[in-house]
Amino acid sequence: MDIVFSEVDHCYMPKTPFEKMALKDISLTIPSGSFTAIIGHTGSGKSTLVQHINGLLKPTSGTVQVGSFTMKAGQKKIDLLHLRKKVGHVFQYPEHQLFEETVEKDICFGPVNFGLSKEHATKRAKELIKVVGLDASFLDKSPFHLSGGQMRRVAIAGVLASRPSVLVLDEPAAGLDPEGRDQMMELFSTYHKDHNTTTILVTHHMEDAAKYADQIIVMHNGKIKMCGGRELIFEEAKKLEELGLGLPNTVRFLQELKEKFRLTSVPNQFDVEGTSAFIADLLRAKEE
Ligand SMILES: Nc1ncnc2c1ncn2[C@@H]1O[C@H](COP(=O)(O)OP(=O)(O)O)[C@@H](O)[C@H]1O
Ligand SMILES: [Mg+2]
């Protein structure tokens, strides 16, 4: 399902003293099956933007198209249940939304609500508990007796259980340690590849954007500041730093190397292996 925003504004609490224009003139396309990262400072409008994809928020003006669903400012209701079956939304701290007595019931809640039989939903719960890195013994436990990391995995299994074709991840690794963050990101990357989902990741980490995304959208003050492939991180490194967005370590290192040694060009490397290979080549060339 392609997702297309056309000239979208979003205003919170319009015509009150608290009026806030959180999105201004957003036009963008997220191709079906792509992995898009949305990056920007706190308050730049990332969550507001992605909450338009499952109809949680409506545009104040403009149009949001998600596959065959169109949400237009001022238009009457659309079939939200149908849309939300297609768009899975992992909120920041998704574990706060667990509420059932057992892990199994929590995972089954979405699919049953969308009309799947209990039997089929239970089957999915059994599969998904493994996908998120836990074993079947967790299914009978109370979600409230688990660790924070385990609770988050259960909540994510609950979103995946509806087999969404679009997966919106709003800072899904917030609050996890670096190892937990890597595991979480690998889980989503594998799921994305295996199921050909359209994945939209909101993140603070340029490193994750560089590693996983085909398309990067940089938000600033309710507007799209930049949009492009990951080479954008190299081409616009200065601008991104000016916006206070931390560059991946490899990018910063290669940029400094280029300046210090007046190299004509450095490769667009995002991983440590590729960066070390480039340095090794440089040293070898110097010896020869
Ligand atoms: N429910 C709300 N009511 C009023 N203002 C809001 C609400 N949610 C967000 N905002 C404001 O809208 C702007 C964008 O917020 P948000 O989309 O949450 O940004 P981000 O996800 O990038 O941190 C911020 O200035 C924020 O304070
Ligand atoms: Mg947010």
Side-chain angles (χ1 to χ4, degrees):
M1 296 213 290
D2 284 350
I3 298 166
V4 183
F5 280 60
S6 309
E7 298 171 355
V8 171
D9 291 343
H10 187 86
C11 184
Y12 286 107
M13 295 183 276
K15 299 183 187 122
T16 72
F18 306 104
E19 180 172 292
K20 170 81 200 176
M21 276 298 270
L23 294 181
K24 300 168 197 160
D25 198 23
I26 301 289
S27 292
L28 60 87
T29 299
I30 296 173
S32 187
S34 65
F35 196 125
T36 295
I38 300 179
I39 196 154
H41 260 302
T42 304
S44 58
K46 307 180 296 295
S47 295
T48 305
L49 192 156
V50 295
Q51 284 174 34
H52 281 74
I53 301 174
N54 73 350
L56 206 65
L57 294 177
K58 306 239 158 38
T60 306
S61 64
T63 309
V64 177
Q65 184 93 33
V66 180
S68 60
F69 298 90
T70 306
M71 288 159 278
K72 209 171 174 165
Q75 187 201 37
K76 53 181 185 335
K77 278 192 180 158
I78 63 151
D79 181 1
L80 279 181
L81 188 72
H82 216 112
L83 174 65
R84 288 185 188 154
K85 193 174 161 190
K86 303 264 183 209
V87 181
H89 196 122
V90 176
F91 289 88
Q92 221 174 328
Y93 301 102
E95 57 275 21
H96 294 171
Q97 285 156 49
L98 297 171
F99 68 98
E100 289 279 12
E101 313 155 24
T102 67
V103 165
E104 183 176 298
K105 279 190 184 165
D106 226 306
I107 300 178
C108 291
F109 178 80
V112 168
N113 203 26
F114 291 133
L116 196 73
S117 72
K118 247 187 168 157
E119 200 187 333
H120 276 101
T122 309
K123 202 166 153 239
R124 279 194 197 170
K126 290 199 170 100
E127 285 162 22
L128 281 164
I129 198 77
K130 289 187 209 129
V131 170
V132 297
L134 300 173
D135 65 60
S137 71
F138 279 88
L139 290 169
D140 297 328
K141 293 186 183 167
S142 158
F144 303 104
H145 291 157
L146 308 181
S147 74
Q150 290 164 343
M151 282 168 87
R152 186 165 304 184
R153 285 166 191 268
V154 169
I156 288 165
V159 173
L160 301 180
S162 300
R163 301 222 173 123
S165 37
V166 176
L167 196 53
V168 175
L169 310 167
D170 195 348
E171 307 208 29
L176 300 181
D177 58 26
E179 199 189 339
R181 197 180 105 209
D182 283 350
Q183 286 174 356
M184 194 58 73
M185 286 310 305
E186 282 302 319
L187 187 165
F188 290 125
S189 172
T190 307
Y191 193 86
H192 171 79
K193 286 182 202 140
D194 289 353
H195 295 81
N196 198 27
T197 44
T198 309
T199 305
I200 299 139
L201 168 75
V202 172
T203 177
H204 264 92
H205 291 276
M206 197 66 86
E207 219 115 28
D208 288 344
K211 195 161 169 196
Y212 299 105
D214 315 311
Q215 171 172 245
I216 297 175
I217 293 171
V218 182
M219 298 279 300
H220 184 68
N221 205 8
K223 290 188 176 164
I224 295 180
K225 194 85 179 176
M226 295 171 217
C227 177
R230 58 172 110 169
E231 63 286 350
L232 172 145
I233 299 176
F234 275 89
E235 288 158 7
E236 306 286 358
K238 282 248 152 62
K239 264 203 215 165
L240 289 167
E241 279 198 311
E242 278 164 22
L243 292 177
L245 297 170
L247 294 174
N249 286 334
T250 51
V251 176
R252 240 192 11 244
F253 180 83
L254 287 166
Q255 296 282 348
E256 278 183 27
L257 202 69
K258 186 177 172 192
E259 268 175 36
K260 230 174 210 144
F261 296 98
R262 298 200 179 84
L263 303 174
T264 47
S265 73
V266 291
N268 292 2
Q269 281 299 345
F270 295 103
D271 57 33
V272 174
E273 292 76 18
T275 307
S276 358
F278 172 69
I279 299 166
D281 282 349
L282 274 183
L283 292 173
R284 231 172 274 128
K286 202 162 173 269
E287 274 172 11
E288 277 162 14

